[in-house]
Amino acid sequence: MKLSTRLSVMKPSAIRETGKQIAARPGCMSFAAGLPSPQLIPVEKVRKITDKILKKKGAIALQYGPTKGHEPLIEKIVKIMEEKNVTATRENIQITTGSQQAIFFSAMMFVNKGDTVITENPSYLGALAAFRPFECNFKGIDVDEDGMKLDELEAVLEKDNNVKMIYVVPNFSNPTGRTWSLERRKKLLEIAGEYDLPIVEDNPYGEIRFEGEDIPTIKALDKENRVIYLGSFSKIFCAGLRVGWICADKNLINKYEIMKQGADLQSNQLAQMQVDEFLNEYDMEEQIKEIIKVYKVKRDLMCRLIDEKFPKTVKRTDPKGGMFLWIEFPNGVDASKLLQKALELNVGFVPGGPFYPNGGHENTVRLNYSNMSQEQIVEGIGLLGELFSREF
Ligand SMILES: Cc1ncc(COP(=O)(O)O)c(C=O)c1O
């Protein structure tokens, strides 16, 4: 049997691989996966609305539904976009099976074999995995505290005529926790306009801001309809329901709908109705406030402990929201070797190297603070501090 060429460029997720090692150690504390806090999943509320849906509209919830998505939910998503100062109608929305599916479809939309995809350096590992089967080349552009270094982007665009798409996570990014400044967002739009490139703006963490003012999404600043905005209910409601959306130009949305027909016909009808009913019955703002309250405490705790316990040569980012922070060890330190020693202490994290599309940077680590309890953060970061202090 001959397999397709794309399989040779696909590789397993470093997070899921680390996850397997962690799962093999019962009681292991994990700062590896990007999981929301289990305490914040509104199980009882979802049970009640599910009961209601099944009693009143069971035959709709368990039947095939429209490819575009559950109409009442689409209407609510239009309002969510309007609150972000994005002018949208139902024609601008496609519901997807998490924003992960929207990332995959976006590569299908714009990328042919051999084309270049621009990402941040480092970028979301799941996006790199979604793009790889399209047999593209990556150009990771370095980031600083204000976002992508746009002079580097311009230098790449001047030389490379094969760039077809720019993918960014401008708010509380996975993996670094960093957020783009307003100026960088405007400038990115300007550059993308000059080269007539689409920007895929992936924003699953935008609502989870602990402090400071909201910065407009790139989509809200976009006057040329070149931004494909990806939203998700995973981080503010229930990741397991797999409900996300695309907001984009209506001609593109028509094409996304055709992709959706071929991929899975529609997103899970019951899950879409559960999200819709939750928005009818409960206050999503309250849910988000609770998430912010809990994650802020954990962010504060993890940052304080890193500053106290890690060797002074270790650098960290300063996330103002979201679920992650990013660690940089001195050059020459190999985070994957340290991971093996950390696992012996029953603590896990993800080495940062795989988040760089063009490789290198083995001295980096992503730490998640949303999933573990405060007690586990104290114990786990303490153990990592002792390990790192012994090692370098
Ligand atoms: C930046 C980013 N985009 C997309 C996703 C996928 O989210 P969803 O659950 O909506 O598919 C994640 C999940 O961790 C993420 O961090």
Side-chain angles (χ1 to χ4, degrees):
M1 241 183 340
K2 246 188 156 179
L3 303 180
S4 73
T5 54
R6 72 180 57 85
L7 276 162
S8 64
V9 288
M10 289 164 71
K11 37 181 165 174
S13 153
I15 303 175
R16 296 204 175 226
E17 288 302 300
T18 308
K20 281 186 206 159
Q21 288 180 286
I22 292 170
R25 298 179 162 269
C28 186
M29 289 163 279
S30 173
F31 306 111
L35 299 182
S37 164
Q39 277 78 40
L40 291 166
I41 300 176
V43 177
E44 189 48 29
K45 290 177 180 165
V46 173
R47 194 191 61 72
K48 281 191 188 146
I49 54 177
T50 307
D51 250 17
K52 187 173 161 191
I53 293 167
L54 291 178
K55 272 189 194 132
K56 295 201 168 159
K57 302 176 228 169
I60 298 173
L62 302 175
Q63 181 58 284
Y64 284 120
T67 297
K68 191 173 168 62
H70 182 53
E71 220 30 75
L73 181 59
I74 292 176
E75 280 163 28
K76 290 187 179 68
I77 291 171
V78 167
K79 292 214 175 75
I80 292 174
M81 294 312 300
E82 281 169 351
E83 277 160 23
K84 295 182 188 297
N85 290 322
V86 173
T87 317
T89 69
R90 62 175 298 287
E91 293 184 306
N92 301 110
I93 308 296
Q94 169 65 53
I95 291 188
T96 53
T97 300
S99 51
Q100 186 65 31
Q101 186 176 49
I103 295 172
F104 187 82
F105 285 170
S106 298
M108 203 184 288
M109 182 78 79
F110 298 111
V111 180
N112 289 315
K113 186 173 179 173
D115 287 343
T116 306
V117 174
I118 301 274
T119 70
E120 289 155 283
N121 209 27
S123 181
Y124 168 50
L125 202 59
L128 302 180
F131 299 154
R132 274 198 188 101
F134 297 91
E135 297 173 274
C136 58
N137 300 313
F138 290 108
K139 188 69 198 125
I141 309 285
D142 286 340
V143 289
D144 62 20
E145 290 310 321
D146 287 325
M148 191 181 266
K149 293 183 177 170
L150 296 178
D151 45 350
E152 280 185 24
L153 172 65
E154 280 185 295
V156 168
L157 292 176
E158 262 170 41
K159 280 199 222 117
D160 186 341
N161 294 326
N162 282 327
V163 175
K164 296 292 160 57
M165 180 172 85
I166 303 173
Y167 167 81
V168 291
V169 187
N171 287 319
F172 321 124
S173 125
N174 178 2
T176 66
R178 285 184 173 132
T179 293
W180 288 42
S181 68
L182 179 61
E183 287 65 36
R184 292 279 173 97
R185 294 173 196 229
K186 288 183 179 163
K187 182 76 183 160
L188 178 70
L189 271 172
E190 228 177 88
I191 298 171
E194 223 173 285
Y195 289 86
D196 195 21
L197 288 171
I199 300 170
V200 177
E201 178 181 29
D202 187 13
N203 191 27
Y205 304 101
E207 276 71 30
I208 309 175
R209 174 178 278 283
F210 310 141
E211 58 232 352
E213 290 291 303
D214 271 342
I215 302 172
T217 61
I218 304 176
K219 180 78 186 151
L221 303 166
D222 172 25
K223 300 202 170 54
E224 299 178 320
N225 262 340
R226 70 175 60 260
V227 176
I228 292 101
Y229 177 94
L230 313 186
S232 174
F233 291 103
S234 288
K235 305 305 188 312
I236 54 171
F237 182 44
C238 299
L241 295 183
R242 312 301 305 123
V243 181
W245 72 92
I246 306 169
C247 176
D249 174 72
K250 69 175 190 217
N251 295 319
L252 287 180
I253 288 293
N254 288 340
K255 295 190 166 51
Y256 277 116
E257 189 178 349
I258 297 169
M259 290 176 195
K260 182 83 182 153
Q261 284 166 4
D264 61 354
L265 300 180
Q266 59 170 103
S267 288
N268 183 315
Q269 181 70 14
L270 174 59
Q272 293 181 72
M273 290 174 77
Q274 285 165 319
V275 177
D276 180 55
E277 200 56 33
F278 186 85
L279 290 164
N280 285 334
E281 294 274 324
Y282 299 102
D283 187 351
M284 188 66 94
E285 285 305 309
E286 282 306 310
Q287 167 78 8
I288 293 171
K289 268 190 205 154
E290 190 57 28
I291 292 172
I292 290 172
K293 198 171 88 191
V294 172
Y295 289 3
K296 181 179 186 307
V297 171
K298 292 187 182 189
R299 187 274 319 255
D300 288 345
L301 180 63
M302 191 179 270
C303 286
R304 181 171 61 72
L305 289 167
I306 288 172
D307 294 348
E308 279 173 22
K309 313 251 177 217
F310 284 17
K312 295 291 165 252
T313 46
V314 174
K315 290 189 211 144
R316 68 162 171 85
T317 53
D318 191 19
K320 305 290 183 221
M323 300 180 2
F324 304 102
L325 59 80
W326 189 249
I327 297 289
E328 209 180 302
F329 298 134
N331 280 337
V333 175
D334 184 341
S336 53
K337 288 202 178 121
L338 287 175
L339 171 64
Q340 296 313 316
K341 296 190 176 170
L343 286 171
E344 282 165 25
L345 304 170
N346 257 4
V347 191
F349 55 77
V350 210
F355 293 81
Y356 288 86
N358 306 112
H361 305 266
E362 269 75 29
N363 59 328
T364 56
V365 162
R366 188 191 74 174
L367 291 177
N368 164 272
Y369 48 77
S370 57
N371 187 243
M372 290 289 106
S373 67
Q374 290 185 51
E375 293 70 29
Q376 288 167 317
I377 292 176
V378 171
E379 192 186 345
I381 298 297
L383 286 167
L384 289 182
E386 284 168 25
L387 170 68
F388 300 157
S389 303
R390 275 198 302 277
E391 293 291 323
F392 56 89

